[in-house]
Every structure is written in C-alpha cells, then in structure tokens.
Amino acid sequence: MAQRNRCFEGSKAVYKDSNVDNNAKVSAKRGTGVCARGMCPDDVVEGKNLCALHQKELDDRNQDKMAEHQKIKARAAEVDDEGERKKIMLESSVYANNQLALALDKKNRPLVEALNSEFAAVHIDDDDYADKLDEYLSKLAGFLKGTKNLVTYAKIDGLIKSTASNLSYRSGRILSPIAAKDFILRVIHKGPIAGTDAVTSLTAEERQTLSGLLETAEFCCYWTNAKLVFSSFAGFNQFSPDRIGLQSLSYFDDGQQSAAVCLWAQRLMNNMNPDKRERFIRLLIAKYNPTRADIFIANYVNGVDNGVVFGDDARKYWENKWESQSKEAREAFANTPSKRKKDGTWKVLEDIRDWGKDEKVEDSQLKGDIDWVTGIDRADLMEFGGLADDRKSRQHSYSAPDTYPTSTRLNDAREADPAFHTRSSLAALAAKHEISELQVIIKMQRQMVEALIGHWRG
C-alpha cells in the first residue's frame, strides 16, 4: 500500500480547547478519596490526590527530573557564554517550568503595566510620537513573544519527557529517562526505526537540535499522515510513539519497529499484528461508504424501518452487555479489598441499565446492523472486534437516543479526544460546530478514517 508525503492538516480548531473539560474532571476528583489519575478507582495516599502506585510513579519521575536537572546544570556551568548556558539549561524541564512560571507570575505583570503607563504619557502631537509608538510596540511584542515561545516549549518538552518517563518505566528502568527521550526523538525524526536503536544515545547538541525542531518543523502520523500535535490533551492528533511490528515484542526488542503516530490511530490499531492491521486497512479502503451510513441514520431518525433482522452475533452482543453492565457485575469488579474506601466500606455503584434487553435489541435493529461512521456491516467487522452500540460519552446513558452503532475499534479510537469523555465537553464541541452531538462525533471520526484511507490507498 502506497503512502503520501504531505501531512493531512485535519480540523485543528476542533481540538484546540478540548483539554479544558478534562482538566476540570481531574480537579473535581481531588479530595474525594479517589485517585485523580484518569479512571483509577484506588484510594489516595493521605495528604495527596493519587493512589500509592501512581504517587510512586510520580515521585520516581520527579527524582529522575531532578537528577537530569543536576547533570544539565553541571554541564551549563562549564560554558562561558550566557546565551549558550541558557540554551543548555532549557533542556531541563525543571528549569523550563521555573522560567515559565516566572514569565507568567504576577510580579512580572507590572513590566507590561509600566510599559503601558510610559506610553500613555506620550502626547500624540509630540514630534517623536511615531518613534515612541514603534519602540513601545517592539518592546511589548518582544515581551509577549518571549512568553509565548516559552509556553510552547514547555508544552512540547513536557509531553516528550512525560512519554519518555513512561517508556523508561515500562522498560523496567533498562532505559533511563534520557535514553528513552533520545529514542522518542529518533522515532519522530527518523522513524520507523528498529527497537535496537534504543541503545544509541544522542549527543547533547543533537538532542537540543531535534527538540528545537519540534516547535517549527512538521511531523506526520505514520498511519494517517495527519499533522502531529506535541501537547497533552490535544485530541486525535496528539503525538504518541507506537510499535508497528509484532505486539509480542517490546519497543526495544530486536525485530520491532516503532513510529510516530497520532493517539487516535494508536488506539485504532492497538493490539493488532501487522498482517491484521493490513487486512483492517484494506477493509476500510474497499468498503468505506459514508453515504450508505447516512441513509441508515436518516431512516432511523425519521422512523423508517431499515429492514434489518439481527443474527446471533448481534443478539449475543446485547446478552453480554446486559450481564456486564449489571449492578452485581460492576460491584464485583469494583468492590475488591484493594478498592475499598478509606473507611473500609464498599463503593456504591448504580445500576446504569436504564433500558430493557429486548428493547435494546429492537432499537439496534432499527438503527441497522452497520457502523454509522463507515457504513460497514457487522459481519465484515467481526474479525476486528465487531460492532458496538455504545454511549456518545462516558457520562451518557445506554438509552436509545444516547447510543449509536460503530465498530469497537473506532469506539476505542474516539476515546483519544477528551472532548468525548463528558456530557459538557461533547455538548460544547457540538455547539461550537453548530451541529448535533452525534453529527460531531461522526464528522470527526470520518475525517480521520478518510485521512487513513487516502494515505494507504494504492
């Protein structure tokens, strides 16, 4: 299958502000006794907002950061030129974050206010008014540009170092965080690369050059050719390193290949070996039919029977769904000794099955036994996880208006964007595009599917 070279831009504005609701969600969990790391149900360490496992991971990462900071600081001390020293120090996330905080701190605001006051005293009829205006604008632009560049650098560097720390942890600390960062930088700039390249370290100059290019150069997803975004909570296009070889091999094994991918594609291709991925891509290329899906959607909305009669696979799906979502099943999963509340009581879970089993089978038949994103039949998707009639967000119910049929792989990929995690964030995204919640989900998913198909179609 052939690949194109130019990055697919996508709809960047769609993802720009998607981190707001996710951050609000995490903040809201603090102080409730539940770990603030994602959906982790474990109790927090006293005086912290993380469970013991995640607190240890955070402490380990902070120790690694400080150790790296000390090494960078020692290297910078050997350089005479002040400008070069600052460049070297910016390799340290500790220093970069401190500089960022300094730039945004209240005590620096008087610098801008003083600049404004100074210019306010200039009379428009002064002979040198034009020169003073230019000087004022130049100083103000310089201050704001410096702050903006520092924010951009901190976001990119934070994502790369966080990803490197996770890779280091997953390697059993075989790779140090610095070595893992070198590996990630090579994956971005030169990938796909062999897993054995992880043992090759970059020089400080190479590391600085490659890190700097992330702010200015364009890098694309291996699977979709979508332009990668180097920032946390960036949605579908957020950068992630991924294995494109056998899933039984780690990132660093001989015979493995790793590439820079977008988070959407990573979730879409997760746990598939190369031959299965190729069959999946060929299925999308051959049978992607959004027009067919739109007809099924319109029929359902207008109360027209799509003429679908469920087979055994579809009925079995709802049998399993009914059992797995029961209050008893969810309590059995959540109410284990390690997940008890701090006072020793069990967590209380609601029965979220606000629908009848037969009712859902009937509703799913009316929706049609196809993926509403791609128009592909359930039968064709069974090898790749089948079809799910799932909720529009984690907070929606399983009632008929809140669910839609889509492939389980696309359902997993949708989770890459925090905008689909809560009712409020999805509603805000739909309002922004002036379309319904269902329409915005389908629009964004199709955009990525079409990018993948266009990239690999021969």
Side-chain angles (χ1 to χ4, degrees):
M1 291 180 283
Q3 296 184 45
R4 296 183 301 174
N5 292 321
R6 195 173 69 82
C7 270
F8 167 75
E9 284 279 356
S11 181
K12 291 186 288 185
V14 170
Y15 316 120
K16 185 172 62 175
D17 297 319
S18 62
N19 64 315
V20 175
D21 285 291
N22 191 68
N23 288 341
K25 174 200 72 175
V26 173
S27 297
K29 283 190 174 184
R30 294 180 179 173
T32 64
V34 179
C35 179
R37 182 69 59 83
M39 301 299 288
C40 175
D42 287 349
D43 293 333
V44 300
V45 177
E46 188 171 354
K48 305 289 184 180
N49 66 350
L50 297 174
C51 67
L53 176 62
H54 286 131
Q55 186 62 46
K56 184 178 184 306
E57 288 181 3
L58 179 63
D59 291 341
D60 287 346
R61 282 200 298 272
N62 287 337
Q63 287 178 9
D64 290 336
K65 286 180 182 178
M66 286 306 300
E68 181 187 7
H69 173 70
Q70 294 302 328
K71 291 179 182 177
I72 293 171
K73 187 176 179 181
R75 184 156 50 87
E78 298 174 357
V79 178
D80 294 330
D81 183 75
E82 184 178 349
E84 284 300 313
R85 278 202 307 273
K86 186 172 182 180
K87 284 184 180 179
I88 293 173
M89 286 302 300
L90 279 172
E91 294 178 28
S92 163
S93 61
V94 175
Y95 178 82
N97 288 334
N98 287 342
Q99 291 299 302
L100 176 62
L102 183 65
L104 301 179
D105 193 84
K106 288 183 179 179
K107 65 184 179 184
N108 269 323
R109 291 179 188 172
L111 294 175
V112 175
E113 291 172 0
L115 204 59
N116 292 339
S117 298
E118 179 184 337
F119 183 70
V122 177
H123 294 287
I124 197 167
D125 55 354
D126 285 357
D127 293 337
D128 58 350
Y129 174 80
D131 292 336
K132 288 181 178 178
L133 174 62
D134 286 342
E135 182 183 3
Y136 160 74
L137 292 176
S138 177
K139 286 181 179 179
L140 184 61
F143 179 83
L144 296 178
K145 182 181 178 182
T147 303
K148 181 180 178 182
N149 289 344
L150 204 52
V151 171
T152 301
Y153 179 86
K155 283 185 176 179
I156 293 174
D157 194 57
L159 176 67
I160 298 301
K161 289 191 174 180
S162 173
T163 306
S165 180
N166 288 335
L167 271 184
S168 173
Y169 181 81
R170 289 167 65 179
S171 75
R173 303 294 182 186
I174 294 172
L175 286 181
S176 69
I178 291 231
K181 180 181 179 181
D182 289 350
F183 176 69
I184 289 171
L185 288 173
R186 281 196 301 275
V187 166
I188 295 169
H189 289 271
K190 303 176 183 179
I193 66 170
T196 49
D197 281 355
V199 300
T200 308
S201 296
L202 297 172
T203 65
E205 185 177 358
E206 288 172 329
R207 193 177 298 126
Q208 182 178 326
T209 300
L210 294 182
S211 295
L213 285 173
L214 298 183
E215 294 184 58
T216 55
E218 185 178 86
F219 299 96
C220 308
C221 170
Y222 174 81
W223 293 115
T224 65
N225 218 36
K227 185 177 179 181
L228 295 174
V229 177
F230 296 93
S231 179
S232 298
F233 308 115
F236 287 168
N237 287 34
Q238 179 180 321
F239 158 74
S240 177
D242 198 19
R243 296 169 296 166
I244 60 174
L246 293 172
Q247 295 299 290
S248 58
L249 300 176
S250 78
Y251 280 90
F252 318 113
D253 287 340
D254 187 15
Q256 184 60 276
Q257 291 275 311
S258 296
V261 306
C262 65
L263 198 54
W264 177 88
Q266 183 195 51
R267 288 177 175 270
L268 185 75
M269 300 296 184
N270 193 34
N271 294 326
M272 286 198 289
N273 281 323
D275 57 341
K276 191 171 183 178
R277 288 194 194 110
E278 182 167 345
R279 290 197 301 275
F280 183 57
I281 292 173
R282 290 195 181 281
L283 172 66
L284 292 175
I285 291 173
K287 298 201 172 183
Y288 177 67
N289 190 343
T291 302
R292 179 177 185 241
D294 288 341
I295 292 172
F296 273 73
I297 296 170
N299 285 344
Y300 178 78
V301 171
N302 295 322
V304 178
D305 193 337
N306 276 304
V308 172
V309 177
F310 266 1
D312 290 340
D313 288 332
R315 290 188 177 277
K316 186 177 180 180
Y317 170 81
W318 280 112
E319 290 283 348
N320 293 337
K321 195 79 169 179
W322 181 258
E323 298 301 329
S324 67
Q325 296 300 327
S326 71
K327 183 178 181 181
E328 294 75 18
R330 296 171 74 238
E331 282 181 340
F333 172 76
N335 293 340
T336 57
S338 64
K339 296 181 176 66
R340 285 183 181 177
K341 291 184 178 179
K342 294 180 75 173
D343 61 5
T345 60
W346 297 113
K347 293 180 173 65
V348 177
L349 294 173
E350 299 175 359
D351 190 340
I352 61 174
R353 299 179 306 174
D354 53 353
W355 37 271
K357 184 167 39 175
D358 295 335
E359 172 196 345
K360 283 306 298 183
V361 170
E362 182 182 353
D363 178 64
S364 293
Q365 287 185 132
L366 291 173
K367 287 175 177 173
D369 211 17
I370 71 165
D371 177 1
W372 276 9
V373 176
T374 64
I376 299 175
D377 292 320
R378 180 191 297 270
D380 292 318
L381 293 166
M382 289 308 296
E383 179 189 358
F384 311 103
L387 198 67
D389 193 4
D390 211 354
R391 297 171 292 172
K392 291 185 290 188
S393 82
R394 294 175 183 175
Q395 293 182 343
H396 280 79
S397 70
Y398 279 97
S399 58
D402 286 348
T403 64
Y404 72 104
T406 187
S407 78
T408 56
R409 295 229 156 247
L410 282 173
N411 196 42
D412 291 341
R414 183 194 59 183
E415 283 286 300
D417 196 323
F420 300 126
H421 292 183
T422 67
R423 280 181 177 272
S424 60
S425 58
L426 177 57
L429 190 62
K432 180 178 182 179
H433 288 268
E434 300 181 337
I435 53 180
S436 71
E437 293 176 352
L438 176 62
Q439 287 172 326
V440 81
I441 293 170
I442 290 175
K443 175 184 177 180
M444 289 174 61
Q445 289 272 51
R446 284 181 181 174
Q447 186 179 62
M448 298 304 289
V449 171
E450 288 166 9
L452 184 147
I453 290 173
H455 187 44
W456 291 95
R457 179 182 281 132

